[in-house]
Amino acid sequence: MRLGSWILITSLSVIFAGCKDLKLVTKTENTYTPANFGGSQDTLNSATTSWNHFFKDQNLITLIDTALKNNQELNIMMQEINIAKAEVRAKKGEYLPTANLQVGAGVDKVGRYTRNGSLEANNEIAPGKEFPEPMSDLLVGVNASWEIDIWRKLRNSRDAAANRYLASIEGKNFMVTHLVSEIANSYYELVALDNKMEILNQTIEIQSDALQIVKMQKTAGMVSELAVKKFEAEVLKNQSHLYYIRQSIIEAENRINFLVGRFPQPVQRNSANFTELIPDTIYSGVPSQLLQNRPDIRKAELELVATKFDLKAARADFYPSLRLTAGAGFNAFNAQYFIKAPQSLIYNIAGDLIAPLINRNALKAKYFAASAKQIQAAYNYEKTILNGYIETVNTLSMISNLKKSYELKSQQVQALTQSITISTNLFSNARADYMEVLMTQRDAVESKFELIEMKQQQLSSWISMYQTLGGGWK
């Protein structure tokens, strides 16, 4: 099935001669891929950009490069590819002639009062020479056999295996896109945690200064012990939260270490100016390009083609098969007679035409199963394309909405940061309640955390967009 902007799902079952209960089953359905993703018709596509050019952070590039060499799951998939390749080689050998060298030796002692024993006793093996007892038997020869692939059954099996081999390569490519995306997301999560840690340390420092001011005001009789305890509790809460972030950092680092295929160790990263990172413009292209770029779609297509060849091979099982066998060599009871040809020369040639007669139900069941698998593969192909299109539309929408939301959140953080200074000054001059200072600081910390999380989501959606377009595996 050729790649195109529409999917043609066809499953055919034909009536075989002599098989009246094999009925014609045809299912045809056309689904047209939309012409665009709801935006422009620009054909530029970021998926064609190699991952080491798409990402700019050199630390991230190094991690991805190491993972592509050491990741255990990827290496396991590479062995699956080798297994599929060996299967193709095995299927290819099935429709080629086979030849075997045969060397044999043995002795034979027959009873005197048996047919062969009587014949040997009353005849001579040579003038004046009786049959030796026991008689040795020496053989050297070559045997060959060849099943003539009249109905292309063997070649169709080979083609099915070849397409599954290609599908396994696309499966590996699909794993690479996920691996690249997962490492990038984990890397930016780690950087986000570093920034949260920095914000929390700054907040604790500010709150500790405020706590000292409150203690002095209590000494002066301006506030009660309640204000001191409230500020002290807030400082302790944030100090406790530091350990939670530190644990999250360790887990994020080790998640990256696992993907990279190494034991736990610090991950080199650049955490500066995280909230100022601006992802490069990403071009989605047109929907039909998903068919060429996304490995999961290419894999589903190749698996669909493989089931087509499986169905043809299953159909050929109903037809007669022709096998040719031949052999030639030398056979004698003594090695000195090997050179006396043609007396010691032996050969044979035969042809067998075999057609199924009794157990046709097993063949029908195999055929119907192959037909159902082809329909199943067609639905899977359609589902994979639909999933790719929806993922792209959702991610495009997310990028747009997160950009607008981030701009507003930045303004909120700026306003709350300014309000911390204002509330602290007012409290120092006894013009604001201590609860106003606490709530302002708490709101500011929460908004800064939300800003970092939103930046992380923004970068994650940017990475996801690259992945959903089929980038990262080239």
Side-chain angles (χ1 to χ4, degrees), residues 121-319:
N122 292 292
N123 290 282
E124 296 179 338
I125 196 168
K129 188 174 182 180
E130 297 181 351
F131 276 83
E133 187 177 340
M135 178 175 284
S136 59
D137 186 26
L138 304 176
L139 172 66
V140 175
V142 176
N143 297 318
S145 64
W146 185 23
E147 182 176 349
I148 308 299
D149 195 17
I150 305 174
W151 317 112
R152 293 187 61 88
K153 178 179 69 174
L154 301 177
R155 281 170 288 180
N156 283 327
S157 296
R158 175 207 61 186
D159 293 340
N163 278 277
R164 288 194 172 90
Y165 164 65
L166 296 175
S168 68
I169 294 177
E170 295 299 339
K172 184 267 296 183
N173 294 337
F174 188 57
M175 179 178 287
V176 169
T177 64
H178 274 269
L179 181 61
V180 169
S181 175
E182 193 171 355
I183 291 176
N185 278 320
S186 296
Y187 178 82
Y188 286 118
E189 178 188 353
L190 186 57
V191 172
L193 288 169
D194 287 342
N195 279 261
K196 285 184 178 181
M197 177 79 77
E198 182 181 357
I199 289 172
L200 204 55
N201 282 322
Q202 292 173 356
T203 302
I204 290 172
E205 184 179 352
I206 293 172
Q207 289 178 341
S208 297
D209 292 340
L211 177 59
Q212 295 304 317
I213 295 173
V214 172
K215 286 181 177 180
M216 288 187 293
Q217 288 184 339
K218 177 185 177 294
T219 303
M222 297 174 62
V223 295
S224 66
E225 181 67 17
L226 179 61
V228 175
K229 293 302 180 182
K230 282 285 187 180
F231 272 90
E232 186 177 356
E234 193 69 18
V235 172
L236 292 172
K237 183 192 77 171
N238 289 328
Q239 287 175 337
S240 174
H241 193 61
L242 276 176
Y243 292 98
Y244 172 79
I245 295 179
R246 286 173 183 169
Q247 178 61 28
S248 298
I249 288 175
I250 291 174
E251 292 177 0
E253 283 185 323
N254 288 334
R255 187 161 55 250
I256 292 174
N257 286 324
F258 176 77
L259 293 173
V260 172
R262 66 190 186 189
F263 287 98
Q265 57 186 274
V267 174
Q268 295 295 324
R269 55 192 181 271
N270 180 18
S271 302
N273 303 320
F274 176 69
T275 55
E276 297 177 8
L277 288 176
I278 301 176
D280 292 340
T281 302
I282 195 164
Y283 301 97
S284 60
V286 293
S288 61
Q289 291 175 335
L290 293 177
L291 303 174
Q292 285 83 25
N293 295 331
R294 281 188 61 128
D296 56 334
I297 294 178
R298 294 161 61 93
K299 178 176 182 288
E301 182 196 17
L302 288 166
E303 289 175 344
L304 176 58
V305 175
T307 59
K308 179 189 73 173
F309 289 112
D310 284 336
L311 187 62
K312 289 183 177 181
R315 181 187 299 126
D317 285 337
F318 290 93
Y319 302 143

Side-chain angles (χ1 to χ4, degrees), residues 261-458:
R262 66 190 186 189
F263 287 98
Q265 57 186 274
V267 174
Q268 295 295 324
R269 55 192 181 271
N270 180 18
S271 302
N273 303 320
F274 176 69
T275 55
E276 297 177 8
L277 288 176
I278 301 176
D280 292 340
T281 302
I282 195 164
Y283 301 97
S284 60
V286 293
S288 61
Q289 291 175 335
L290 293 177
L291 303 174
Q292 285 83 25
N293 295 331
R294 281 188 61 128
D296 56 334
I297 294 178
R298 294 161 61 93
K299 178 176 182 288
E301 182 196 17
L302 288 166
E303 289 175 344
L304 176 58
V305 175
T307 59
K308 179 189 73 173
F309 289 112
D310 284 336
L311 187 62
K312 289 183 177 181
R315 181 187 299 126
D317 285 337
F318 290 93
Y319 302 143
S321 60
L322 175 62
R323 178 176 289 276
L324 301 178
T325 58
F330 295 94
N331 189 201
F333 67 89
N334 194 301
Q336 66 180 344
Y337 293 110
F338 271 131
I339 59 175
K340 293 185 178 181
Q343 290 89 346
S344 61
L345 178 66
I346 60 171
Y347 62 86
N348 67 79
I349 184 168
D352 297 320
L353 188 65
I354 303 173
L357 181 61
I358 300 297
N359 193 22
R360 296 180 69 87
N361 282 332
L363 298 179
K364 294 173 187 176
K366 180 181 177 182
Y367 175 81
F368 289 136
S371 178
K373 287 180 180 179
Q374 186 184 38
I375 296 174
Q376 185 182 53
Y379 282 131
N380 181 63
Y381 180 49
E382 180 182 8
K383 183 193 76 172
T384 307
I385 291 179
L386 182 61
N387 178 64
Y389 178 81
I390 290 175
E391 281 184 353
T392 305
V393 171
N394 287 343
T395 310
L396 278 172
S397 176
M398 182 184 295
I399 289 175
S400 175
N401 289 326
L402 282 175
K403 181 180 179 181
K404 297 172 183 177
S405 179
Y406 185 81
E407 292 172 355
L408 296 173
K409 181 61 70 173
S410 298
Q411 296 175 19
Q412 179 193 8
V413 170
Q414 185 178 3
L416 286 172
T417 302
Q418 293 173 354
S419 68
I420 292 177
T421 304
I422 296 172
S423 63
T424 303
N425 291 334
L426 290 173
F427 178 69
S428 300
N429 296 316
R431 296 176 59 187
D433 185 74
Y434 69 90
M435 287 301 298
E436 292 179 313
V437 178
L438 281 175
M439 294 306 298
T440 302
Q441 291 178 350
R442 185 177 298 174
D443 291 344
V445 172
E446 291 178 356
S447 65
K448 288 178 181 178
F449 275 17
E450 290 173 357
L451 184 67
I452 290 175
E453 291 171 358
M454 192 168 292
K455 173 57 70 174
Q456 182 185 340
Q457 291 176 5
Q458 200 175 17

Side-chain angles (χ1 to χ4, degrees), residues 38-57:
S40 65
Q41 294 282 355
D42 192 355
T43 58
L44 291 176
N45 195 302
S46 296
T48 58
T49 304
S50 176
W51 62 265
N52 52 358
H53 292 99
F54 182 80
F55 299 106
K56 307 301 181 184
D57 192 316

